[in-house]
Amino acid sequence: MADASKPRRRGGGRAGAANRRGTAAIEQMPWRIPVNVDRPTEPLDGDGVQAIHDGAMRILEDIGIEFLNEEALALFKQAGCTVNGTNVRMGRDWVMEMLGHAPAQFDITPRNPDKKITIGGKHILFGNVSSPPNYFDLEIGKKVSGSRAQCADLLRLTQYFNCIHFAGGYPVEPVDVHASVRHLDVVYDKMTLTDKVAHAYSLGKERVEDVMEMVKIAGGLSEEEFVAKPHMYTNINSTSPLKHDVPMIDGCLRCVRRGQAVIVTPFTLAGAMAPVTMTGAVTLSIAEAISAIALFQYVRTGAPCVIGTFTSNVDMKSGAPAFGTPEYMRATQITGQMARFYGLPMRASGVCAANVPDGQAMWETSNSLWSAVQSGTNVVYHAAGWLEGGLIASPEKFIMDCEVIQMIQRYMEPQIVATTPDDIAIDAIKEVGPNGHFFGIEHTQDRYEEAFYQPFVSDWRNFEAWEVAGGTWTAERAHHIFKDIVAQFEEPPMDVAVKEELKAFVDRRKSEGGAPTDF
């Protein structure tokens, strides 16, 4: 059999040349926005949902959330909430009124309108790994600090794979670029190497404002066109327990006022920053998230907001975060129930605690991804490339995760469960009878190319054939595919004048000092 990185004829939704953009490293499924056809898994009965809701409301009414952002405190006072120093208590009636303004579904349109994404309903979207400070690949063979070149390669994978629907934060932190101008270089790379929906970090006004301006330039948008509908998004984490910091709330307020989307994702680890009980951890997470979403709805009625979950547990022996655990899966499913209760789209993650792209990495990530499916999640962050609890980004892991994501997308295709007479195939069964086989009959020949999912990383040969072909393990096959994709990558089209305008903006902002830092 040919090398795993070479193209082969594949069924189960093969991409045409336009979808591959001229790159023949693999054949993949075409760009699509998957629709989750399954009923969500709901661990809680109605009383359980009410218990978590009441617990979250009691936290907001009786304990309060710390908001360190002075503008937010003034807004809460204006809204009639009880503000004592940085502590904000808010009544449940006001919170529920605010949440009632949030849209259950909305679109985000990037510079390429063909890559528009829909968040909410039964749609499920997958994004790249975001924010690890370190990088690992098989060629280097060890964990190293991230660089701009490595970040750009991971952006190339983000653009290349049709099953990756949006570009998250930096797929690896480029430590070789000074923090004051890092956002300018990486977002320039993101705007030119991808044409998918992009993200801005809420880490000070300069970073958010710069990214919004660069998205405007890349899309050729006027200010009126930009604010009229979402073209990008930001994602923030609360500082659990019970706290929202200054820059993240500031960034969200800036995005909300200009019509851009916001994801609020508490990072609650049961046993550390949250109660050791998973329902207690989810309750805390819900309270932290909806306190901020209520504020954003007060500022701009109908602001596109997503409730995020990052609730897992710690290893009680070491205190290290654990991911893809049974507890993580249940917390995600429960949060899905609560998101539907509040009428909000939901974000989850594809995460693991493994240090290298091995079996542990894949079973933990698969657990995470399938819990996102089971929970009715709409946005799956870190779906491809995550290792070491978010401290490492890996291109091999990225490739391997995309195999799993494609399998999930294939699983959701309605033709698999179609029940037309041709699908039930009584005539074919009658033709073959009890003594034949189905390989050669017309019913099979007409359908075999598209009948089943065919992998691009998995190797389905028997041991002897695999051994004769070189005995290449999965991560090594993924490494070869990564190298082929990067070598053959073609940037998505961008008008020369637009690219020059982007570059001029970056140069000007660098000359002005970029964004302030603490060092």
Side-chain angles (χ1 to χ4, degrees), residues 357-439:
D358 60 4
Q360 176 189 339
M362 297 316 297
W363 73 61
E364 290 178 351
T365 303
S366 186
N367 284 348
S368 299
L369 292 173
W370 277 105
S371 71
V373 173
Q374 295 164 347
S375 65
T377 288
N378 304 113
V379 179
V380 187
Y381 239 62
H382 310 299
W386 165 295
L387 286 174
E388 201 197 0
L391 296 178
I392 295 176
S394 160
E396 292 88 4
K397 177 68 164 31
F398 197 114
I399 302 288
M400 294 157 70
D401 288 336
C402 284
E403 181 86 278
V404 177
I405 295 167
Q406 280 208 157
M407 289 182 173
I408 291 172
Q409 290 193 182
R410 173 64 176 172
Y411 164 88
M412 292 174 179
E413 291 180 353
Q415 62 263 40
I416 296 178
V417 294
T419 56
T420 69
D422 279 347
D423 293 296
I424 301 301
I426 296 298
D427 290 342
I429 295 168
K430 181 179 179 180
E431 177 184 347
V432 171
N435 299 314
H437 62 76
F438 290 82
F439 281 114

Side-chain angles (χ1 to χ4, degrees), residues 68-202:
L68 306 186
N69 183 286
E70 291 186 3
E71 183 183 8
L73 295 172
L75 288 165
F76 277 120
K77 284 183 181 178
Q78 184 183 87
C81 300
T82 301
V83 179
N84 184 8
T86 59
N87 182 269
V88 179
R89 300 182 188 184
M90 53 197 83
R92 66 182 67 199
D93 291 343
W94 179 80
V95 171
M96 294 303 290
E97 179 187 352
M98 293 301 105
L99 295 184
H101 298 315
Q105 181 173 303
F106 59 88
D107 294 337
I108 308 181
T109 305
R111 70 178 181 90
N112 179 359
D114 292 339
K115 299 293 176 64
K116 179 178 71 174
I117 59 176
T118 299
I119 296 177
K122 289 184 171 292
H123 304 95
I124 181 169
L125 307 166
F126 299 93
N128 60 322
V129 61
S130 301
S131 306
N134 303 304
Y135 177 90
F136 171 93
D137 71 26
L138 293 187
E139 186 174 351
I140 297 172
K142 62 180 180 180
K143 180 170 80 171
V144 297
S145 296
S147 70
R148 183 179 179 184
Q150 293 159 352
C151 184
D153 279 347
L154 291 168
L155 286 171
R156 291 182 177 97
L157 295 183
T158 299
Q159 173 66 15
Y160 177 84
F161 277 99
N162 294 322
C163 64
I164 300 299
H165 302 101
F166 62 92
Y170 312 154
V172 69
E173 193 82 19
V175 179
D176 59 339
V177 180
H178 194 273
S180 62
V181 296
R182 188 176 298 162
H183 67 291
L184 297 167
D185 283 341
V186 176
V187 175
Y188 176 83
D189 291 344
K190 188 180 293 187
M191 292 294 104
T192 56
L193 294 175
T194 79
D195 60 2
K196 298 180 180 179
V197 167
H199 158 276
Y201 283 107
S202 286

Side-chain angles (χ1 to χ4, degrees), residues 210-293:
D210 284 346
V211 175
M212 286 195 282
E213 190 62 31
M214 293 176 77
V215 169
K216 278 177 57 181
I217 293 170
L221 303 168
S222 67
E223 177 65 14
E224 291 75 20
E225 291 169 329
F226 181 73
V227 302
K229 62 183 181 181
H231 297 277
M232 50 156 287
Y233 71 99
T234 189
N235 174 84
I236 65 166
N237 303 117
S238 54
T239 307
S240 300
L242 300 171
K243 189 180 297 180
H244 285 286
D245 69 15
V246 176
M248 291 193 180
I249 293 297
D250 175 85
C252 286
L253 289 172
R254 292 175 186 276
C255 285
V256 162
R257 286 184 169 125
R258 294 176 71 186
Q260 304 310 300
V262 169
I263 303 174
V264 183
T265 311
F267 185 10
T268 46
L269 289 176
M273 301 104 75
V276 72
T277 54
M278 296 313 296
T279 51
V282 169
T283 300
L284 175 63
S285 173
I286 294 293
E288 291 177 355
I290 63 177
S291 67
I293 293 173

